[in-house]
Amino acid sequence: MPRGETLPGAPTEEERIVLHVDMDCFYASCERLREPTLRGEPVVVGMGYEAGEQTGAVATASYEARDHGVESAMGISSALDRLPRREENPNDPETAWYRPVDMDFYEAVSEQVREILTELADTLRVVSIDEAYLDVTERTAWEVAEGFGRHVKQRIAREVGVPASVGVAPNMSTAKIASDHDKPDGLVVVSPDEVADFLAPLPVGDIHGIGPVTADELTSMGIETAGDLAAADPAELRAKFGERGEEFHRRALGDDPRQVEPRGKPKSLSRESAFDGAVEDFDLVVERATGLAGAVAQRAKRRGALYRTIGVKVVTPPYDVNTRAKTLPGPVDEPDLVESVAHDLLEEFDGERIRKVGVRVANLSFSDRDQADLDSWDGGGEEEATATGGRDTEPKETDRYTNDQARLFEYDPDRTDED
Ligand code: TTP
Ligand code: MG
């Protein structure tokens, strides 16, 4: 179409309008949906937590609880130190409501959100239970993009009843940073001519793919902000970080060529969980792995996936990532086997200090039954099948995992391409 015929502010052919949606304190918001008295109150949702117990880890905390230092991946006992249980201290406002994780309910809520997003997008890429990218180039124009973003938030709030933060930008990585920029209930629009100024003051750690280790290395080179990184010599970055260095440079400039594409079939499914610091109690590791094995097997079943490979990941200090896997003679759907193989593979780490443990099934094959489900909002934790034996302490690998070390619930080394 000749330039003169487009709407003022309409994007050129290669310019996209990408919207990133990330639900606010999602599990806690879901709990508030069915228990409205929790609105405005500190709420902590625990993974592996049972009512009245001290065990498990914080999956998420409402923003009221975050104000008291409670955050994802923290042990429940540490959270309880900061905010004791309200039931036991009914008149103390410095307390919180604790609830166990209920994935089936959160997935049902997530599904309702996904239906709305499907209607609103040209293409939709679901990244996890509470996060998705929408290409909305044909649905809006930069001049009215803020109103479009507000409309997305309002539809989710009215029809589902949970809050979302939205970022709108010309590409995926900037949209993701934008949605995170003004949480909760945020709406940040970064038009193409604002991208450089928006990114420049942000710390390098905000750039996707830059974890704490890389951020420290960059800082020691005098590169602290995305602006510094954008101004750095790409050859120097390449010399230090290889191809990733060039990628960082491009992302700091707001250059991200990825298109929003629907997700294909997963190559593997996994979950992982970080401890509050490194633990020496191997029983605790086995107990956590049992929960993760159950969750992974359940997810595979829901998706109609059979698996041939069962693996574990163990992260030891400082951030050494060790993976072990066993491949079976044929594909199975056997939750008990996931658990027992995971336990066997973990044995050799008995006696080590462990920061994080993950369980994965790979070499997937699908029955046709759940084909329609494959694009579902249950997208978290999918990855390429890369299960290998061998102790993996390559710096690159290590760094890649530290980037999302706080994530309790998934094990996805390829997330760099996802979010
Ligand atoms: P996030 O979107 O990372 O966190 P959030 O939605 O709770 O809060 P925010 O407002 O900052 O977006 O993750 C989505 C859900 O995934 C979260 O509600 C609970 C779960 N989760 C875990 O189980 N463990 C984790 O370590 C993290 C980070 C999230
Ligand atoms: Mg969220």
Side-chain angles (χ1 to χ4, degrees):
M1 190 189 292
R3 191 89 180 107
E5 291 181 31
T6 55
L7 278 172
T12 57
E13 213 175 329
E14 59 285 356
E15 256 176 25
R16 314 302 299 170
I17 305 181
V18 177
L19 196 140
H20 182 253
V21 178
D22 189 318
M23 311 305 294
D24 299 322
C25 56
F26 183 58
Y27 295 3
S29 297
C30 292
E31 292 298 336
R32 286 169 163 170
L33 194 56
R34 61 178 167 190
E35 223 182 319
T37 53
L38 298 180
R39 295 208 169 121
E41 297 278 339
V43 178
V44 179
V45 181
M47 175 175 270
Y49 166 79
E50 304 278 349
E53 299 289 321
Q54 309 260 342
T55 49
V58 176
T60 195
S62 72
Y63 282 77
E64 294 79 1
R66 293 183 199 190
D67 286 345
H68 295 267
V70 176
E71 53 187 39
S72 294
M74 176 180 271
I76 289 289
S77 55
S78 310
L80 283 165
D81 288 344
R82 290 168 173 83
L83 287 175
R85 266 184 270 272
R86 177 69 56 88
E87 290 91 335
E88 291 161 15
N89 312 267
N91 299 319
D92 185 352
E94 300 232 329
T95 52
W97 302 99
Y98 287 75
R99 295 290 179 267
V101 163
D102 177 354
M103 283 317 289
D104 288 345
F105 179 58
Y106 309 152
E107 267 154 19
V109 176
S110 176
E111 176 64 29
Q112 292 176 39
V113 176
R114 188 176 65 91
E115 276 170 23
I116 294 173
L117 299 183
T118 305
E119 273 178 40
L120 291 171
D122 300 331
T123 51
L124 175 71
R125 184 177 188 95
V126 170
V127 178
S128 76
I129 192 164
D130 90 323
E131 191 186 337
Y133 293 93
L134 290 72
D135 188 313
V136 294
T137 312
E138 309 294 326
R139 310 285 179 118
T140 186
W142 282 112
E143 287 174 334
V144 290
E146 184 168 343
F148 189 86
R150 191 169 306 116
H151 176 65
V152 173
K153 281 163 60 85
Q154 282 171 351
R155 276 203 60 185
I156 299 171
R158 276 194 212 126
E159 294 172 33
V160 189
V162 285
S165 290
V166 163
V168 189
N171 59 55
M172 292 170 74
S173 62
T174 311
K176 164 124 179 137
I177 294 172
S179 75
D180 203 36
H181 199 66
D182 194 23
K183 262 183 171 291
D185 198 25
L187 171 59
V188 174
V189 178
V190 185
S191 62
D193 55 355
E194 294 168 335
V195 171
D197 286 348
F198 171 71
L199 295 176
L202 303 177
V204 285
D206 283 8
I207 305 274
H208 185 68
I210 300 188
V213 176
T214 309
D216 284 350
E217 281 172 335
L218 286 165
T219 306
S220 69
M221 295 164 73
I223 298 170
E224 288 182 7
T225 64
D228 297 340
L229 188 54
D233 177 2
E236 197 188 330
L237 293 169
R238 192 188 168 86
K240 176 99 181 168
F241 301 103
E243 274 177 29
R244 290 165 73 229
E246 288 178 3
E247 176 83 18
F248 299 159
H249 186 247
R250 280 196 298 275
R251 291 216 170 155
L253 285 164
D255 175 8
D256 176 5
R258 292 174 302 160
Q259 299 290 315
V260 178
E261 281 165 0
R263 235 182 153 121
K265 286 185 198 177
K267 300 249 173 53
S268 69
L269 298 167
S270 55
R271 294 232 165 161
E272 68 182 33
S273 176
F275 294 100
D276 204 12
V279 297
E280 282 178 49
D281 181 354
F282 190 63
D283 290 344
L284 211 59
V285 176
V286 171
E287 181 192 305
R288 192 70 68 86
T290 305
L292 296 168
V296 166
Q298 191 192 16
R299 199 198 291 180
K301 204 178 270 298
R302 213 171 36 238
R303 295 189 144 211
L306 300 170
Y307 32 88
R308 264 192 77 198
T309 300
I310 297 167
V312 297
K313 180 172 93 167
V314 176
V315 181
T316 51
Y319 286 105
D320 290 343
V321 178
N322 308 280
T323 56
R324 298 288 185 275
K326 179 175 176 179
T327 296
L328 311 163
V332 298
D333 163 18
E334 283 180 48
D336 290 349
L337 199 62
V338 179
E339 184 179 322
S340 63
V341 170
H343 287 173
D344 290 348
L345 295 170
L346 284 174
E347 277 304 314
E348 70 174 281
F349 297 96
D350 190 353
E352 295 209 33
R353 295 172 63 228
I354 296 175
R355 301 187 80 108
K356 189 186 220 182
V357 61
V359 175
R360 179 171 72 149
V361 295
N363 253 323
L364 303 184
S365 44
F366 290 88
S367 59
D368 286 338
R369 172 170 70 81
D370 280 335
Q371 211 64 357
D373 227 32
L374 290 175
D375 257 351
S376 86
W377 185 254
D378 173 32
E382 298 166 2
E383 60 180 17
E384 297 296 316
T386 52
T388 51
R391 204 167 179 107
D392 188 352
T393 52
E394 293 274 342
K396 182 178 169 195
E397 191 81 357
T398 305
D399 193 42
R400 199 162 55 178
Y401 284 105
T402 59
N403 187 42
D404 63 359
Q405 54 174 292
R407 294 205 163 247
L408 273 169
F409 62 115
E410 58 191 23
Y411 168 16
D412 189 353
D414 291 329
R415 264 185 96 82
T416 334
D417 298 326
E418 295 296 327
D419 59 355

